[in-house]
Amino acid sequence: MIVRRYVVKEMPEAVASIRRELGQDAVILSTRQIRVRKWLGLRSERRIEVMAAAREELAASAGASFGQALKRAMAEPGERTASSLRSEPWSQLAHELAEIKRMLADARAQDAPLEEGGDKPLQRWNAFLQTEGVDAVLAERWARMALGGAKSPGMRGGSVEDLIDAIEGDLGALAQPSPIRRDSRIVAFVGPTGVGKTTTIAKIAALHVLAGQRRVGLLTTDTFRIAAVEQLKTYADILNVPIAIADEPEQVPSALASLASCDLVLVDTAGRNFLNPASIEQTKRMLDPVEADEVLLVISLATKPADAVKIANMAKPLCVDKLIFTKLDETESVGMVPSLVALCQRPVAYVTTGQNVPDDIDILSMRDLLSAWKEVGGDG
Ligand SMILES: Nc1nc2c(ncn2[C@@H]2O[C@H](COP(=O)(O)OP(=O)(O)O)[C@@H](O)[C@H]2O)c(=O)[nH]1
Ligand SMILES: [Mg+2]
């Protein structure tokens, strides 16, 4: 008896393969929803497992027609066996069912997690974290902590929840979001070109204007490109807030003086190549006279994790207080966030999630952010 197993996303995919491989009259024996593991066994995705047999192998009256079986399968994907193979001699039927069961068991074994024991769970968490963008040393540390503190050690050596607990515990207070303080008056935004500094400033300015509690002013030292000044001016016009411009460090004090009536001044800086020490030096020259109460380093989540680490290291002379992560909408890997928080020992102020001003900005705890992993680590 030819019985084949198909694992597909959608039924029509299986139907096409079954027809092609087992003929037009093939019979669907069973369908059920399964989860297949990806990413070294840590991600799992829903699939439909379809067992099908070539029709000529069955007795003439056996089973539902392909079409009927398909309809049923679509209507209620669930575990089913070919209960309608009535005209087969019982012994033959029993034999075939045993064969199907064995094949299903084999197939499940292939999907099953790796055995416990040895360092496999450790390696798997470690690999998962690194794939998610966590620095290698931290990945190993957090994998060990997750296994050590696992509440459910039976499950592949800890669950995603254990991992998140471990990271949150390790970061302590740094795992809590840290938006701009109430008592900060001058807040500067630094970071590489194109990460979203100006857009993020516009979002934060808009939210404060909408809240109506603080008089917001904008200062830009980004006169490197005409378009950059225009961009911030446009936002200032829309929000009806004052804007000052400083071309040179010497102009900063007078520009700030023109914003004396504001109790929150958001300072935009030129996007520069943060991998170049000379660029950092230039940014620092502009930033020093600003005397910011808080300096926020803006990093795009679309950056390669290794580059983000370099950027964060290069930015040290700028005395960064907090991190902003932009473009969460452009990635599925959030491991860079706890990794940089740990490496810089600085909390996250905001996370931005798109181009819309002011909607696409969030104040997220590390737990909220990492909860995205629960999706991929499900044990279905
Ligand atoms: N997808 C996405 N795009 C963003 C986000 N924040 C900013 N951008 C876009 O990134 C580009 C550069 O933004 P800009 O604020 O000019 O960057 P700056 O050079 O750091 O000031 C613009 O097209 C923004 O609309 C975000 O959270 N998600
Ligand atoms: Mg800009």
Side-chain angles (χ1 to χ4, degrees), residues 197-198 222 225 228 231 268-269 271:
K197 291 181 297 297
T198 307
D222 184 6
R225 294 173 303 135
Q231 188 188 2
D268 200 1
T269 60

Side-chain angles (χ1 to χ4, degrees), residues 191-201 203 222 225 228 231 235 268-271 298 325-330 351-356 360:
T193 324
V195 290
K197 291 181 297 297
T198 307
T199 311
T200 304
I201 287 174
K203 290 172 183 173
D222 184 6
R225 294 173 303 135
Q231 188 188 2
Y235 286 125
D268 200 1
T269 60
V298 185
F325 289 93
T326 59
K327 312 197 186 186
L328 178 60
D329 54 308
E330 288 187 6
V351 175
T352 79
T353 55
Q355 296 181 293
N356 298 313
D360 295 339

Side-chain angles (χ1 to χ4, degrees), residues 12 25 37 80 82 132 148 154 183 190 194 219 229 246-247 257 292 319 331 335 340-341 346 355 369:
D25 293 329
R37 297 181 192 289
R80 260 186 305 127
E132 285 290 312
D183 60 347
V190 298
L219 166 64
V229 179
D247 266 326
C319 302
T331 181
L340 282 186
V341 165
R346 294 289 180 270
Q355 296 181 293
L369 194 84

Side-chain angles (χ1 to χ4, degrees), residues 7-11 30-36 45-50 73-74 76-80 108 111 380:
V7 175
V8 292
K9 278 192 182 156
E10 305 289 345
M11 274 308 283
S30 74
T31 62
R32 67 178 184 120
Q33 290 203 334
I34 58 166
R35 297 190 75 96
V36 292
E45 287 180 5
R46 272 184 210 292
R47 290 284 187 278
I48 304 168
E49 178 197 72
V50 184
M74 302 268 250
E76 33 136 6
E79 193 154 359
R80 260 186 305 127
R108 274 178 210 158
D111 287 335

Side-chain angles (χ1 to χ4, degrees), residues 61-75:
S61 60
S65 75
F66 188 82
Q68 284 167 341
L70 176 60
K71 257 193 201 153
R72 272 214 325 256
M74 302 268 250

